[in-house]
Amino acid sequence: MVELKTTVIRGSAKGPHLLITAGVHGDEFEGMVAVQRLMQGLQGADLCCGTVTLVPVVNERAFELRNRCGEDGLDLARTCPGNSVGSPTEQVADALTRLIQSADLYIDLHSGGIVMDVYPLAGYMLVSSERVLATQRQMACTFGLPLVWGTSDKLDGRSLSVARDSQVPAIYVEYRGSGRCDPCGVTALVAGCRKVLERFGMLDGHPPDGKEATGIGQIAHEDWQPESGHMQTGCPAPKSGLFEASVQLGRRIDQGNTLGILSDPFTGQSEKIVATQSGSVIVLRTYPQVQQGDSLAVILEKEGSLPMI
């Protein structure tokens, strides 16, 4: 049975158990470094109460391969709750599931990996439990990123679907990507995790007033459509080739406007890829080589542009 490498920090009094993970995908680095910083910066004496479990790299084999997925080709974020005697990724999913089920609160740190750039956001599932949903909204707003995004709870196989089924309030966080380790992202992720600890009385600090008060410039948006939140299906490439984006992350695009240019790498023949929705670009492909069906962008259907990043 696989056991994930964890650091457990216990406070001096009883309180909530917060689980923070990164590296569910092996090519998402901001979260990994943020968890390292939390491992170095948080001490038991710092915690007023409760327990924090930190996992810097959930998917170790994918990290070793410098890839989103491990050698079995399975996406860990589509494989939960996993199987203790299954393939390598299924075994890791089983270990992650057991950790999530042991927690009272959960934060899963992500970024766009090697191929995508993702607008900084804290997301959560629009679960049926009003108690869990209210706590998730509170966590996401408290984290302090520019976008708070509630989406469908109908997507299975994810860390958050395990939390959903276990009634554990959970959020996931996205911050940029494109094969980098953005230092601003690392700082924002560390600060956001500490704010959540403060909000739930686990760490001394000054949490913002109000249960769901958004920060200055922060936008909260909830999308109840069944497929909302599925970042791998937005604006699929009509064929394989080289993609050059014509838009910027976070900026508004209107339906019919050019999203980018897709060209044949050998002949140079190209075609415009136009947006089929109007809204703000919150995910944008930055790795030029694409296969037919690859997601090129995710557009958040709302008026205006998002706050500058």
Side-chain angles (χ1 to χ4, degrees), residues 112-186:
I114 292 171
V115 301
M116 293 291 196
D117 199 3
V118 185
Y119 187 84
L121 66 90
Y124 54 92
M125 282 188 167
L126 295 165
V127 297
S128 58
S129 167
E130 288 297 331
R131 176 191 65 83
V132 173
L133 181 56
T135 303
Q136 292 179 162
R137 285 172 173 149
Q138 184 183 83
M139 293 169 67
C141 290
T142 298
F143 205 95
L145 294 181
L147 176 62
V148 174
W149 194 29
T151 56
S152 172
D153 69 343
K154 302 298 188 291
L155 302 178
D156 294 325
R158 293 154 164 77
S159 59
L160 261 64
S161 62
V162 172
R164 173 201 66 197
D165 295 342
S166 305
Q167 298 284 288
V168 176
I171 64 172
Y172 71 96
V173 175
E174 300 275 359
Y175 202 108
R176 304 305 297 263
S178 298
R180 302 163 299 181
C181 186
D182 187 329
C184 294
V186 173

Side-chain angles (χ1 to χ4, degrees), residues 8 15 30 47 59 73 77 90 94 120 141 146 151 165 173 175 177 211 213 232 261-263 270 295 305:
V8 180
E30 287 85 354
L47 290 185
N59 200 338
E90 289 174 326
D94 172 73
C141 290
T151 56
D165 295 342
V173 175
Y175 202 108
K211 292 184 178 181
Q232 280 69 47
I261 304 297
L262 184 62
S263 63
S270 63
S295 176
S305 297

Side-chain angles (χ1 to χ4, degrees), residues 234-271:
C235 303
K239 61 183 180 182
S240 300
L242 292 173
F243 177 69
E244 300 171 82
S246 302
V247 293
Q248 290 183 309
L249 193 69
R251 298 300 87 196
R252 180 173 175 80
I253 189 170
D254 291 322
Q255 184 177 0
N257 286 357
T258 302
L259 182 66
I261 304 297
L262 184 62
S263 63
D264 184 302
F266 304 104
T267 67
Q269 290 183 327
S270 63
E271 64 176 283

Side-chain angles (χ1 to χ4, degrees), residues 35-55:
V35 172
Q36 289 178 349
R37 299 276 172 84
L38 289 167
M39 289 164 57
Q40 296 159 3
L42 278 178
Q43 303 297 325
D46 297 330
L47 290 185
C48 305
C49 65
T51 300
V52 180
T53 298
L54 300 163
V55 187

Side-chain angles (χ1 to χ4, degrees), residues 84-105:
S84 63
V85 294
S87 74
T89 301
E90 289 174 326
Q91 293 183 46
V92 173
D94 172 73
L96 177 59
T97 294
R98 286 184 275 114
L99 266 183
I100 295 169
Q101 291 171 338
S102 74
D104 299 309
L105 303 165

